[in-house]
Amino acid sequence: MSQELIHVYLMPGMAASPLIFEHIQLPEDKFKLHYLEWMIPFEDETLSDYALRMTKNIVHDSVVLIGVSFGGVLVQEMSKHIEIRKLIVVSTVKSREEIPKHMQLAKATGVYKLVPTQLASKIDVLEKYAFGKHFTKRLELYKKYLSVNNEQYLNWAIKEMISWNQKEPPKGIIHIHGDNDAVFPIKNIKGNITLKNGTHIMIINKYKWFNEHLPGIIIE
């Protein structure tokens, strides 16, 4: 008798494409991977309503949700609308308390509204003026993994991220975080699995760790 597959849905980070999961491989006799993509939000759509709309892309019962960065915030909101088997978040936050102070300040002052999100669609222009190997390499990463350059989406995503007001993490959530995450510093994070030398993009450059450990984390 064949074993029933565990369906795993993966949500990338803000503006990112499912390509960030290109090296994630789980045993195919036990798991089936499904890749979620960002949709353009409706005008004035709440994160909760957006999450509910995103659950329409979940076509299996008792799934595993894995989200990275802002995608980790989104899957937590999605888990409030559907029954799931397990909730795993990576390089993100689980509550308002874990959001860095400068992001909270950005909300309080409204300074986030000044972020020139329209530049996200000008990566080709920026590339012409890139200088230094480090900057050029980062632009190459942006071009490969960032797929959503819609200004409406970016304005919405930044606002919803810094305004997220969850007080308590969902029960049973698994949080994997790098000790060198510059976006969400680990000093603010509680109750997580720590990945040594892990940065905010460790789902890409430390995929071997995830391939080794995710099966056990999901099944345990």
Side-chain angles (χ1 to χ4, degrees):
M1 184 176 177
S2 61
Q3 181 182 4
E4 187 174 349
L5 290 174
I6 297 173
H7 293 278
V8 180
Y9 283 76
L10 301 116
M11 187 73 220
M14 186 182 294
S17 80
L19 266 179
I20 70 167
F21 303 113
E22 64 181 339
H23 298 303
I24 299 299
Q25 297 177 346
L26 304 182
E28 294 182 358
D29 61 330
K30 296 180 180 178
F31 305 96
K32 174 67 175 176
L33 300 182
H34 306 270
Y35 304 97
L36 296 169
E37 298 190 49
W38 291 103
M39 306 179 295
I40 303 303
F42 299 140
E43 188 173 355
D44 298 323
E45 186 171 22
T46 67
L47 184 59
S48 179
D49 286 345
Y50 185 94
L52 177 60
R53 192 155 61 97
M54 184 65 78
T55 62
K56 307 306 179 186
N57 297 313
I58 307 292
V59 295
H60 302 92
D61 296 324
S62 191
V63 303
V64 176
L65 290 178
I66 300 179
V68 175
S69 193
F70 183 50
V73 169
L74 179 62
V75 296
Q76 290 177 70
E77 291 297 321
M78 290 171 65
S79 72
K80 298 172 184 177
H81 297 292
I82 58 174
E83 292 292 330
I84 61 171
R85 177 184 179 122
K86 186 152 288 187
L87 179 61
I88 302 172
V89 296
V90 179
S91 306
T92 188
V93 294
K94 306 183 296 301
S95 71
R96 181 71 186 164
E97 288 186 356
E98 294 183 344
I99 296 176
K101 289 292 188 289
H102 71 273
M103 288 189 185
Q104 296 185 37
L105 182 63
K107 179 200 173 186
T109 61
V111 71
Y112 69 90
K113 296 176 184 177
L114 302 178
V115 175
T117 49
Q118 66 272 18
L119 286 180
S121 61
K122 308 296 184 184
I123 288 179
D124 289 332
V125 175
L126 287 172
E127 188 177 34
K128 293 178 183 178
Y129 298 98
F131 53 90
K133 292 182 179 178
H134 180 73
F135 190 70
T136 303
K137 185 176 181 180
R138 181 165 292 185
L139 275 177
E140 290 173 355
L141 283 175
Y142 286 160
K143 290 184 71 173
K144 179 175 182 178
Y145 294 114
L146 296 188
S147 65
V148 187
N149 58 17
N150 179 277
E151 187 176 346
Q152 179 177 321
Y153 163 82
L154 291 167
N155 287 332
W156 171 85
I158 291 170
K159 175 178 177 290
E160 293 300 327
M161 179 65 249
I162 68 172
S163 301
W164 195 49
N165 203 31
Q166 179 165 274
K167 292 182 174 62
E168 297 291 336
K171 186 177 180 180
I173 189 172
I174 304 295
H175 186 171
I176 305 170
H177 209 85
D179 63 3
N180 197 27
D181 191 312
V183 177
F184 299 117
I186 198 167
K187 66 180 182 180
N188 301 320
I189 307 300
K190 300 176 182 177
N192 63 287
I193 298 171
T194 302
L195 202 53
K196 188 176 181 181
N197 298 321
T199 66
H200 195 63
I201 61 168
M202 64 184 185
I203 194 69
I204 297 172
N205 57 26
K206 288 193 175 293
Y207 64 88
K208 291 180 180 179
W209 185 95
F210 288 93
N211 290 344
E212 180 182 351
H213 292 91
L214 275 179
I217 290 172
I218 291 172
I219 293 174
E220 72 180 9

